[in-house]
Amino acid sequence: MKDIKTYKQGNLWFERFMAIAAAVNLCLVLFDLSYVPWRDFYLRKLPQITKIYDPIKGVEAHRDTENYLKTVDALKEQVSQTGLQSPQVNSRLEEIRRLSNEMIDSNPFAGVNKSGTLEKIKNRMRDRIDKESARQSFATFWSQPYFSQNGWDQEISFFNQRIRPLIASNYYRQIGENGEFVDKFLIIDLPFVILFGVELLGRSFLIRRQRPGLSWFEAVLWRWYDLFLLLPFWRWLRVLPVLVRLDQAKLLNLHPVRKQINQGIVANFAEELTEIVVVRVINQIQGSIQRGELTHWLSQQENLRPYIDINNVNEVEAIASLLVKTIVYQVLPEIQPAIVAILRHNIETVFHQVPLYRNLQNLPGVGQAQTQLSEQLATQITTNLYKTLVSAVEDPVGAKLTSQLVQSFSDALGSQIKQKHVLSEIQSLLFDFLQEIKLNYVQRLSQEDIDQIIEQTCQLRTQASVPRVVDKGTILPKIREG
């Protein structure tokens, strides 16, 4: 017992280790997927991460925008050395104006789908200079008169705070020989893939030992969701095996989520399944009527498919016999007082309708005698009728005659129904009746509140799971055999 407990505990720790490893791998995958779209955010808030991860995604500084910023830095150095009005500064400003026009014309941001960044730079420069043309705005901004009039320190601070970060966010992604962007995430992902691959092989081996009838392919499919951990594409699908593993390792409780998912699936399919099943059954019945199977059944001929009897018992006759015995031995004795009361009332009503009796009723004692007579007649009639029914049930000859009566009734009814006009009318009415059911009641089934039905089903399961104590005294008495 202790060994089993130790084994289960060790297995749980292994499951938790693998679940945590899968969760770490998923976090790396999600970070990798978000890096390129969110690189601007990482560059502003966590610049050290971009220095580490840029080589993984083949990201490097764009030569044009990097040269632009280096030229601006050289301008700042020149101003600090020779002053704003020097010829060297003017030469630097002329170079920056040329680079600004080239940046607008060539759009170095387009290669990584960052053309919006260039538009943002142009708009900010337009707003700063208050001109419609971006070219003129850059030409005005990078000029000695503008800096002299508005102040060098103020304007270069504007550039460093509002323009430089946008230009610095541009980059170039290397393209491999396959024509795709360079992506070395496989170097990080490969150890995890190897780990999960070895684990899947081990689990498949254990599954085959426990279920020798399974092939290797079937054993691998036993844990099909783990295959997503091995795919080099669609890595975001790894969220599924990670959630399953966290639930199996008891690190995350997904039972409420599974319950809601199951209810959602049932709610989505229940309406269509209900309509399909009910309509299919009705269509089969209508098809049987159109094929004339009703005629074969009424004429007691062999059906299109032979009837299969599993117990050599005519269930219809057995059920009818059981119901007759139940009525005779159980029901009638209980309702006999009510029957007597009804008969007595009817007898008294008949007496009151006779003119002679109404005249005699004025004599002393006649009214009481009439009541006793009505009581006796009603009781006698009920008793005789009950004895007759019991005799008919218990008497073999009476039972045989009753059976012959039922048989004769069935034959006579069948022969009349088999008349061509009667049978044709019955088939037509049945077909139309089933069609009305499809049009009316099947639609009602699909309009029912599926969520309410699911809730009722859950309540039934909850009630059924509660053990109940059965009182033997409540068991129905056995039906008396004839």
Side-chain angles (χ1 to χ4, degrees):
M1 190 73 179
K2 184 177 180 181
D3 294 339
I4 296 176
K5 184 177 180 180
T6 304
Y7 170 77
K8 290 184 177 179
Q9 186 176 5
N11 186 55
L12 179 60
W13 281 110
F14 174 77
E15 293 289 348
R16 288 182 174 177
F17 170 78
M18 295 305 299
I20 293 174
V24 171
N25 177 249
L26 178 62
C27 291
L28 291 174
V29 167
L30 296 178
F31 171 76
D32 179 75
L33 294 175
S34 68
Y35 183 77
V36 172
W38 292 3
R39 185 180 179 276
D40 292 353
F41 170 79
Y42 295 133
L43 183 64
R44 292 194 306 270
K45 303 297 182 181
L46 302 169
Q48 296 299 325
I49 290 182
T50 59
K51 293 181 180 180
I52 298 173
Y53 211 76
D54 275 354
I56 300 297
K57 305 301 287 186
V59 173
E60 59 185 30
H62 197 284
R63 287 176 293 182
D64 293 343
T65 52
E66 185 180 23
N67 182 46
Y68 189 99
L69 295 178
K70 287 182 178 180
T71 304
V72 173
D73 292 338
L75 172 65
K76 292 168 59 179
E77 182 68 20
Q78 190 68 47
V79 170
S80 63
Q81 292 178 359
T82 62
L84 181 62
Q85 301 299 328
S86 66
Q88 295 85 349
V89 169
N90 186 48
S91 177
R92 294 288 185 185
L93 289 173
E94 185 177 353
E95 176 68 13
I96 295 176
R97 289 194 296 270
R98 183 183 65 82
L99 293 177
S100 298
N101 291 331
E102 290 182 357
M103 182 174 65
I104 295 174
D105 292 335
S106 62
N107 187 10
F109 298 85
V112 288
N113 297 322
K114 290 177 64 67
S115 297
T117 301
L118 178 60
E119 293 301 321
K120 189 180 295 184
I121 293 172
K122 292 158 61 176
N123 290 334
R124 289 183 179 180
M125 190 60 74
R126 290 190 190 100
D127 294 339
R128 187 69 176 180
I129 305 301
D130 195 19
K131 289 186 177 181
E132 293 294 331
S133 173
R135 293 176 182 272
Q136 295 179 3
S137 298
F138 273 100
T140 302
F141 183 83
W142 297 112
S143 64
Q144 288 177 327
Y146 180 80
F147 283 119
S148 299
Q149 181 179 357
N150 295 279
W152 163 259
D153 293 334
Q154 179 180 344
E155 296 305 314
I156 202 66
S157 296
F158 159 76
F159 177 84
N160 290 332
Q161 295 174 5
R162 303 286 292 170
I163 306 298
R164 176 183 284 270
L166 296 178
I167 298 177
S169 67
N170 189 37
Y171 58 89
Y172 169 79
R173 286 197 68 181
Q174 301 175 11
I175 300 177
E177 295 181 356
N178 59 356
E180 301 291 337
F181 289 122
V182 172
D183 192 345
K184 300 178 182 179
F185 179 72
L186 183 62
I187 299 175
I188 300 175
D189 192 44
L190 185 59
F192 290 96
V193 172
I194 294 174
L195 174 63
F196 298 136
V198 172
E199 182 210 13
L200 181 59
L201 290 177
R203 289 183 183 274
S204 301
F205 176 75
L206 293 176
I207 291 173
R208 285 201 68 198
R209 288 188 59 183
Q210 296 172 356
R211 300 170 177 82
L214 296 179
S215 64
W216 272 104
F217 180 73
E218 292 172 337
V220 171
L221 289 182
W222 196 269
R223 289 179 64 91
W224 57 271
Y225 47 85
D226 284 343
L227 295 175
F228 293 127
L229 296 172
L230 310 180
L231 296 179
F233 48 86
W234 297 342
R235 292 189 177 102
W236 56 271
L237 289 175
R238 297 183 185 184
V239 66
L240 177 61
V242 169
L243 291 177
V244 173
R245 286 170 174 265
L246 291 175
D247 183 59
Q248 293 175 345
K250 299 181 180 179
L251 296 175
L252 187 66
N253 184 15
L254 295 180
H255 177 71
V257 178
R258 291 199 308 268
K259 181 180 178 182
Q260 293 298 325
I261 292 175
N262 293 335
Q263 290 184 358
I265 294 175
V266 171
N268 289 332
F269 288 100
E271 178 178 336
E272 296 182 6
L273 288 177
T274 301
E275 292 186 1
I276 291 173
V277 172
V278 176
V279 171
R280 185 174 181 181
V281 170
I282 295 176
N283 287 338
Q284 289 179 350
I285 297 175
Q286 288 179 319
S288 299
I289 294 174
Q290 289 180 328
R291 289 191 299 268
E293 294 182 11
L294 178 62
T295 305
H296 291 289
W297 178 74
L298 290 174
S299 60
Q300 298 183 356
Q301 294 180 358
E302 194 173 14
N303 293 330
L304 297 178
R305 292 184 179 180
Y307 185 79
I308 301 174
D309 192 352
I310 62 175
N311 55 6
N312 294 324
V313 174
N314 189 329
E315 287 80 5
V316 177
E317 293 183 0
I319 293 173
S321 176
L322 187 62
L323 290 176
V324 169
K325 291 179 180 179
T326 302
I327 293 173
V328 171
Y329 294 120
Q330 302 293 336
V331 178
L332 289 180
E334 294 184 7
I335 66 173
Q336 185 174 357
I339 296 175
V340 171
I342 292 174
L343 290 176
R344 184 180 63 189
H345 172 71
N346 291 330
I347 293 172
E348 291 177 351
T349 302
V350 172
F351 279 149
H352 285 293
Q353 292 176 354
V354 178
L356 179 60
Y357 174 76
R358 288 201 298 268
N359 296 328
L360 294 175
Q361 196 174 16
N362 296 325
L363 298 176
V366 173
Q368 183 178 2
Q370 177 268 330
T371 301
Q372 294 177 355
L373 179 60
S374 300
E375 181 78 26
Q376 292 176 359
L377 286 174
T379 303
Q380 190 66 30
I381 292 173
T382 304
T383 302
N384 292 337
L385 179 60
Y386 180 70
K387 289 180 179 180
T388 302
L389 291 175
V390 173
S391 299
V393 173
E394 296 180 350
D395 185 13
V397 177
K400 184 177 180 180
L401 294 174
T402 303
S403 178
Q404 292 177 354
L405 175 61
V406 173
Q407 185 66 34
S408 299
F409 175 79
S410 300
D411 294 340
L413 179 61
S415 62
Q416 293 300 319
I417 291 179
K418 285 187 293 184
Q419 297 295 326
K420 187 174 182 179
H421 66 282
V422 177
L423 183 59
S424 176
E425 187 174 355
I426 290 176
Q427 289 178 339
S428 177
L429 291 173
L430 282 176
F431 187 87
D432 293 341
F433 175 68
L434 293 174
Q435 190 68 22
E436 291 177 359
I437 290 178
K438 285 196 295 186
L439 296 176
N440 294 280
Y441 297 101
V442 175
Q443 185 179 5
R444 292 184 186 177
L445 289 175
S446 63
Q447 290 176 348
E448 289 187 8
D449 189 352
I450 299 298
D451 293 334
Q452 184 177 1
I453 295 176
I454 294 176
E455 182 179 355
Q456 293 175 358
T457 304
C458 294
Q459 292 178 355
L460 290 176
R461 291 178 179 176
T462 303
Q463 295 174 358
S465 62
V466 178
R468 298 181 180 179
V469 179
V470 179
D471 186 1
K472 295 182 179 180
T474 62
I475 299 177
L476 294 176
K478 293 183 179 180
I479 299 175
R480 177 180 173 186
E481 297 291 341

